[in-house]
Amino acid sequence: MAMEWQVFCKDTLTSEVVSGCFGSGRDITYLNWIFKAWGWTVGVSLTALLVALVVGSIIGVIRTLPNSPWLVRFGNAWVELFRNIPLLVQIFLWYHVAPALIPPMKSLSPFVLVVLALGFFTSARIAEQLRAGILALPKGQRYAGMAMGFTTPQYYRYVILPMAYRIIIPPLTSESMNIFKNSAVAFAVSIPELTQFALQAGEETSRPIEIYLAVTLLYVISALVINRIMAFVEKRARVPGFVAAGGAGGH
């Protein structure tokens, strides 16, 4: 079957091939459209990743706090709740159910609701990874902070977390790449991202193979860029000679 890559140069309204492949004003081509959809995908993914890092870090820390059983239970409940419900179901819950139960949420845009769903879902996974990173540190790290007179927030801030984050960079890389792939479920609530584009453009042009190949390439490029950035961070943050003592410590 011959490929027809000129499909991306066609005007979305007239289906005529546009010189240069890029339209202007309201006359856009499928190439314009796919890059706009890519922008939505990147926007949803990066914003959700930020939410996941912040919330996941908080939950991961409170799950390891000494002498705070209720906070630990809350953290455990958060992780079990968000990682045991399918992401697509969570998207629908945030989009349809949450605004019905909490009226102020009706004013939130679908973009915000999808970011919350994707961010909280990923936060449970990051919280578990951070907890594992903290527990992998030797107990001496914590005692050293206490011996210096640090309070609990201070020895987490200056002693434990800087080492724990370095340990979990590889799984964080995977989560950062996964969030781009998981953002595809946003099409279910009509976010105009890449998967939504593929469904509509493939139907309009009757060239689904070319459309899906292009969309796949953009997902791969997005994930690879994140991978290279995290690899750079991992290399710069590596502690020479440090090996996580899994099972040898605990907090």
Side-chain angles (χ1 to χ4, degrees):
M1 181 178 179
M3 297 292 179
E4 185 182 320
W5 296 107
Q6 272 196 333
V7 65
F8 291 100
C9 300
K10 290 183 177 179
D11 188 290
T12 56
L13 295 178
T14 64
S15 295
E16 295 179 352
V17 175
V18 175
S19 177
C21 281
F22 284 98
S24 60
R26 301 183 63 178
D27 298 325
I28 66 170
T29 64
Y30 287 100
L31 195 60
N32 290 112
W33 189 2
I34 194 173
F35 280 123
K36 184 178 180 181
W38 193 18
W40 276 98
T41 293
V42 172
V44 167
S45 302
L46 292 183
T47 312
L49 180 59
L50 180 62
V51 172
L53 286 173
V54 172
V55 178
S57 296
I58 295 171
I59 298 298
V61 166
I62 68 174
R63 293 182 74 199
T64 63
L65 287 176
N67 305 318
S68 302
W70 284 106
L71 284 177
V72 173
R73 290 190 186 101
F74 171 77
N76 292 339
W78 179 281
V79 170
E80 295 306 321
L81 175 67
F82 284 101
R83 75 175 178 179
N84 287 317
I85 300 175
L87 177 56
L88 187 58
V89 174
Q90 292 192 38
I91 294 284
F92 286 134
L93 287 174
W94 279 96
Y95 190 74
H96 295 292
V97 179
L101 298 178
I102 308 173
M105 293 189 68
K106 292 180 179 177
S107 61
L108 298 179
S109 68
F111 177 87
V112 174
L113 295 173
V114 166
V115 164
L116 291 176
L118 189 56
F120 287 173
F121 173 80
T122 309
S123 75
R125 302 170 61 87
I126 291 177
E128 183 65 14
Q129 291 159 6
L130 183 59
R131 172 179 172 273
I134 293 173
L135 294 180
L137 293 174
K139 290 182 178 178
Q141 297 270 341
R142 178 183 173 189
Y143 295 149
M146 295 172 68
M148 294 181 69
F150 288 163
T151 62
T152 299
Q154 285 176 328
Y155 70 69
Y156 266 90
R157 165 68 179 83
Y158 296 110
V159 180
I160 293 178
L161 288 180
M163 291 299 292
Y165 278 120
R166 289 171 175 175
I167 294 173
I168 66 169
I169 286 178
L172 273 182
T173 300
S174 296
E175 291 306 325
S176 302
M177 296 169 70
N178 283 338
I179 209 165
F180 273 89
K181 293 178 280 186
N182 290 338
S183 70
V185 299
F187 87 92
V189 291
S190 300
I191 297 295
E193 47 74 61
L194 281 174
T195 304
Q196 177 80 353
F197 162 80
L199 292 171
Q200 292 189 10
E203 183 176 346
E204 290 180 11
T205 62
S206 299
R207 306 301 302 185
I209 295 177
E210 290 87 341
I211 297 293
Y212 277 108
L213 285 176
V215 165
T216 301
L217 177 63
L218 292 179
Y219 275 121
V220 171
I221 290 173
S222 303
L224 283 178
V225 169
I226 288 293
N227 178 279
R228 291 299 85 198
I229 292 174
M230 294 299 289
F232 174 77
V233 172
E234 181 180 357
K235 184 177 180 181
R236 299 285 295 181
R238 185 175 299 151
V239 181
F242 178 81
V243 178
H251 297 270

